[in-house]
Amino acid sequence: MASISRNLRRYFAPDRLRRLLLLSQHPREYVTAECHRPVVLHKRGPDILHDPWFNRGTAFSMTERDRLGIRGLLPPNVVSSQQQIDRFMLDLIRLQNYARDGPSDTYPLAKWRILNRLHDRNETMYYKVLINNIEEYAPIVYTPTVGLVCQNYSGLFRRPRGMYFSSEDRGEMMSMVYNWPADQVDMIVVTDGSRILGLGDLGVQGIGIAIGKLDLYVAAAGINPQRVLPVMIDVGTNNEKLLKDPLYLGLQEHRLGGDEYVSVIDEFMEAVFTRWPNVIVQFEDFQSKWAFRLLQRYRKTYRMFNDDVQGTAGVAIAGLLGAVRAQGRPMIDFPKQRIVVAGAGSAGIGVVNAASRTMARMLGNNDVAFESARSQFWIVDAHGLITEDRADIDPDARPFARRKGELGHQGLSEGASLVEVVKKVKPDVILGLSAVGGLFSKEVLEALKDSSSSRPAIFAMSNPTKNAECTPGEAFSILGEKAIFASGSPFHDVDLGDGKIGHSNQGNNMYLFPGIGLGTLLSGARLISDGMLQAAAERLASYMKEEEVLQGIIYPPISRIRDITKEVAAAVVREAVAEDLAEGYREMDARELARLSEEETIEYVKTNMWSPEYPTIIYKAD
């Protein structure tokens, strides 16, 4: 007994040991890590080697080879998972220079193709490589390379991944959903391909964005890859090039609209929630006119959210709060920020709505507070400043149209250009969600020199990289070291000389949506509330240390994404409990969740995050 105690102390710190002993007396579901659950299969032999969910290639031990009927089907040398990864990385380095299909095939796209082949044959190893090299490969499986993937998806297609529902499947979706082999699905990312990043209507090829997002759910949030489902809803395309392309894999007809379109999405939602009542559905890259309408239609009935509207808003709020801290002010000063927003699509209006709610809550959450918050925003779209004088204002933008009484003393009028607005308003922040590359021109950045803030913030948030409103080099060259810069896609830091660095922060949605999904799953929340989204954003905003923020670092490095996601998910769980939305997960019911301390909630989240370790596989005959 004494030797057992010594061994336990060798592997666990005293507080960890005490916690485990307590849990052994009061067992909870999260004692068993998600990745350590044994897997029972009804297949043997070559079927396992051809199944990327369970294949581990030469890492199968001799005992497993005997048990699963694959002895003799693999080379005799058994290698470790690390040896497999080392071999793959050597191959990747050697192959990426030769894997290009001609000059138009970029090196990032070649890397994607090599990683995709690994994904096709061994999912566990694929995610191990992705997690261990997340800073390098997140831009490959997600933005910006995923944009190239979607543009070329018909030519890149090799094997099906995910499900496709089309307008021709009306009346059949309830039965179709049972064609998916997994009995349990935790997370669906669905798109209709109508607005992929800033690249426009890519039709069925938009499935690439759903696949990329779910790769990050697995890598960052530890959602089990066997319980995720990318979905494309193909209702046609208005992209004339695709309509004429003989290689295009989708319906070659113009998009459905109106009630017909809504009926297709309704049928899909009913089908997936009938088979998987506890699934979470993330809507992704729906064009603006549908993004808000579908969000309002479903959010009080289903566990769903729209990442472009709500995720982008949360990441932007976290950055805006960080910018206040970087100016040496408390976050409570956020309602005093003057913010010019370039872009009035789903992302732009989503950010303004969420940011104004945050300001109003800080000011007392009454009518006066909301009016004061509204007055801090100036929205500029392709036609200039949006005011009450504009005909046919988008209903979603109308609450933020500048009032006639405000325009006179500001020296502005309907349709004023972005540079005019920046000159007159002297904002603390310019926020770009326009999908127009280079919109923050030299003239706009020069005008920002007269900002009322000593450290003006530039958020060039549009994706992919070519659509960023400006680069960090352009921003720092004009505004100098005091500027705060963030973008949606990755850029390198800028060497300002004399040992000074202009930090390029990546305000990417991947900091939030994995934690929102994981926290919703582990809380068993019935719905995804504004409060849960706000808790996620505020936890991200407070994640950075004060000394980092004062250097202009307002977002953490991607290398910390798994830790960030754990913290964000725990904040979402606790908010769901506080709002009485939590119903529990597996054997952890709502009452037990409510009894967890903040530290225990983080531990609960961590233990339920899947890790890419080869599980014990048990064969059982049908």
Side-chain angles (χ1 to χ4, degrees):
M1 194 68 182
S3 63
I4 294 174
S5 297
R6 281 196 299 272
N7 285 330
L8 280 172
R9 290 191 183 94
R10 187 181 307 157
Y11 288 103
F12 298 110
D15 61 332
R16 175 69 173 151
L17 180 57
R18 178 178 57 82
R19 187 185 302 279
L20 288 174
L21 290 172
L22 286 171
L23 290 173
S24 68
Q25 297 166 19
H26 304 285
R28 283 175 171 155
E29 178 66 19
Y30 67 89
V31 175
T32 302
E34 174 69 24
C35 56
H36 293 150
R37 302 176 191 279
V39 176
V40 178
L41 294 183
H42 303 292
K43 60 175 71 175
R44 302 178 80 238
D47 287 344
I48 289 179
L49 298 179
H50 296 149
D51 187 334
W53 281 357
F54 305 111
N55 176 38
R56 64 183 68 169
T58 51
F60 278 114
S61 69
M62 285 302 176
T63 302
E64 289 168 327
R65 297 181 193 199
D66 286 335
R67 185 167 70 239
L68 301 173
I70 54 175
R71 190 164 187 150
L73 302 183
L74 293 165
N77 188 24
V78 177
V79 302
S80 69
S81 60
Q82 187 56 51
Q83 286 175 304
Q84 286 183 308
I85 290 171
D86 292 344
R87 183 173 62 198
F88 171 78
M89 296 302 289
L90 284 172
D91 280 346
L92 189 147
I93 292 167
R94 187 179 72 250
L95 289 173
Q96 66 188 26
N97 291 324
Y98 303 100
R100 299 168 66 199
D101 282 352
S104 64
D105 194 1
T106 64
Y107 288 115
L109 195 56
K111 281 186 179 181
W112 179 89
R113 286 145 61 88
I114 298 166
L115 287 167
N116 197 52
R117 292 170 197 160
L118 176 61
H119 197 175
D120 287 346
R121 64 180 183 268
N122 186 331
E123 284 217 339
T124 303
M125 185 174 164
Y126 170 76
Y127 287 114
K128 201 173 189 72
V129 168
L130 181 57
I131 290 170
N132 290 349
N133 303 275
I134 191 68
E135 207 153 11
E136 179 179 358
Y137 293 147
I140 303 298
V141 302
Y142 187 44
T143 182
T145 306
V146 72
L148 283 172
V149 172
C150 290
Q151 288 176 303
N152 296 279
Y153 198 78
S154 291
L156 293 169
F157 183 86
R158 293 295 180 272
R159 67 179 286 272
R161 195 183 300 282
M163 288 196 76
Y164 299 80
F165 297 86
S166 80
S167 51
E168 294 186 351
D169 296 320
R170 280 175 282 186
E172 301 295 332
M173 294 184 195
M174 190 66 75
S175 58
M176 286 171 61
V177 77
Y178 287 90
N179 291 337
W180 187 249
D183 289 330
Q184 183 176 347
V185 171
D186 293 334
M187 181 62 60
I188 289 173
V189 175
V190 59
T191 185
D192 69 351
S194 58
R195 190 203 64 85
I196 299 299
L197 300 173
L199 302 170
D201 184 347
L202 297 182
V204 79
Q205 300 186 149
I207 186 71
I209 195 74
I211 293 168
K213 288 274 186 176
L214 286 169
D215 277 348
L216 292 183
Y217 266 113
V218 176
I223 303 291
N224 191 317
Q226 295 173 37
R227 298 204 290 266
V228 301
L229 174 57
V231 170
M232 160 55 61
I233 298 181
D234 186 359
V235 291
T237 179
N238 292 332
N239 184 320
E240 294 298 326
K241 181 179 177 182
L242 296 179
L243 289 171
K244 297 172 184 175
D245 185 351
L247 299 180
Y248 178 60
L249 296 173
L251 295 179
Q252 290 187 298
E253 54 191 51
H254 286 97
R255 283 187 172 275
L256 283 183
D259 291 341
E260 280 192 291
Y261 173 86
V262 174
S263 70
V264 171
I265 311 299
D266 280 350
E267 185 178 347
F268 161 75
M269 292 293 278
E270 183 181 3
V272 296
F273 279 95
T274 296
R275 184 174 182 197
W276 302 296
N278 297 315
V279 73
I280 301 159
V281 176
Q282 175 181 314
F283 277 61
E284 186 68 32
D285 284 357
F286 283 70
Q287 63 190 122
S288 298
K289 70 176 183 179
W290 291 119
F292 286 106
R293 181 173 171 183
L294 296 176
L295 178 61
Q296 296 308 317
R297 186 177 183 84
Y298 301 129
R299 68 174 308 194
K300 295 190 186 314
T301 308
Y302 298 114
R303 296 211 298 178
M304 61 80 62
F305 70 107
N306 184 302
D307 186 48
D308 304 300
V309 177
Q310 296 163 296
T312 300
V315 170
I317 289 169
L320 293 170
L321 292 170
V324 175
R325 293 175 65 199
Q327 293 164 358
R329 300 159 65 185
M331 284 200 286
I332 197 66
D333 278 357
F334 178 48
K336 299 176 183 177
Q337 296 275 287
R338 299 159 68 86
I339 302 173
V340 171
V341 180
S346 59
I349 298 300
V351 168
V352 173
N353 272 318
S356 63
R357 283 196 301 268
T358 302
M359 287 181 174
R361 196 182 69 256
M362 291 178 172
L363 294 171
N365 243 6
N366 51 39
D367 290 343
V368 174
F370 277 99
E371 181 59 24
S372 176
R374 179 208 64 77
S375 69
Q376 298 302 113
F377 296 90
W378 288 258
I379 302 179
V380 180
D381 67 2
H383 305 292
L385 179 66
I386 298 176
T387 75
E388 286 183 325
D389 289 335
R390 179 173 302 191
D392 301 322
I393 302 177
D394 187 304
D396 296 309
R398 184 179 297 279
F400 300 96
R402 300 304 297 190
R403 311 287 195 258
K404 290 180 182 179
E406 300 167 336
L407 296 174
H409 69 271
Q410 292 173 353
L412 292 169
S413 60
E414 162 61 33
S417 69
L418 178 61
V419 68
E420 287 180 274
V421 174
V422 173
K423 283 180 178 178
K424 298 291 186 181
V425 173
K426 305 183 190 306
D428 301 280
V429 179
I430 55 172
L431 177 60
L433 289 156
S434 65
V436 179
L439 182 66
F440 294 168
S441 63
K442 180 180 178 182
E443 291 73 23
V444 171
L445 295 172
E446 288 280 0
L448 195 60
K449 282 183 175 180
D450 294 326
S451 166
S452 58
S453 172
S454 60
R455 299 198 73 180
I458 304 98
F459 287 75
M461 301 295 279
S462 292
N463 288 315
T465 308
K466 70 182 184 68
N467 288 345
E469 285 76 10
C470 71
T471 67
E474 292 164 344
F476 287 113
S477 68
I478 292 173
L479 292 163
E481 64 184 272
K482 290 295 185 181
I484 301 163
F485 181 86
S487 59
S489 288
F491 285 98
H492 293 297
D493 289 343
V494 177
D495 186 347
L496 302 177
D498 296 326
K500 296 174 182 176
I501 298 294
H503 292 283
S504 177
N505 296 279
Q506 187 184 359
N508 200 297
N509 289 24
M510 71 181 289
Y511 286 125
L512 276 193
F513 72 77
I516 293 168
L518 180 61
T520 303
L521 175 70
L522 298 183
S523 68
R526 299 186 298 277
L527 304 169
I528 300 175
S529 70
D530 287 336
M532 291 161 66
L533 297 166
Q534 188 70 36
E538 290 180 1
R539 182 63 193 98
L540 176 59
S542 63
Y543 185 84
M544 302 301 296
K545 295 183 175 70
E546 198 67 24
E547 58 268 25
E548 294 173 311
V549 172
L550 291 175
Q551 293 174 41
I553 306 172
I554 57 174
Y555 290 111
I558 297 295
S559 59
R560 292 193 226 165
I561 189 62
R562 206 154 166 105
D563 186 60
I564 298 160
T565 299
K566 175 189 67 180
E567 298 280 342
V568 168
V572 170
V573 170
R574 291 179 66 77
E575 181 62 25
V577 170
E579 294 185 30
D580 199 26
L581 290 171
E583 296 185 348
Y585 176 71
R586 293 182 174 158
E587 295 177 11
M588 177 71 76
D589 65 26
R591 287 174 299 178
E592 287 185 287
L593 281 176
R595 287 197 291 266
L596 297 180
S597 67
E598 185 173 346
E599 182 183 320
E600 287 173 325
T601 305
I602 293 171
E603 183 67 19
Y604 165 67
V605 170
K606 180 180 177 181
T607 311
N608 277 285
M609 293 171 73
W610 179 87
S611 293
E613 305 296 336
Y614 290 132
T616 300
I617 297 179
I618 301 165
Y619 170 69
K620 182 178 179 181
D622 287 328

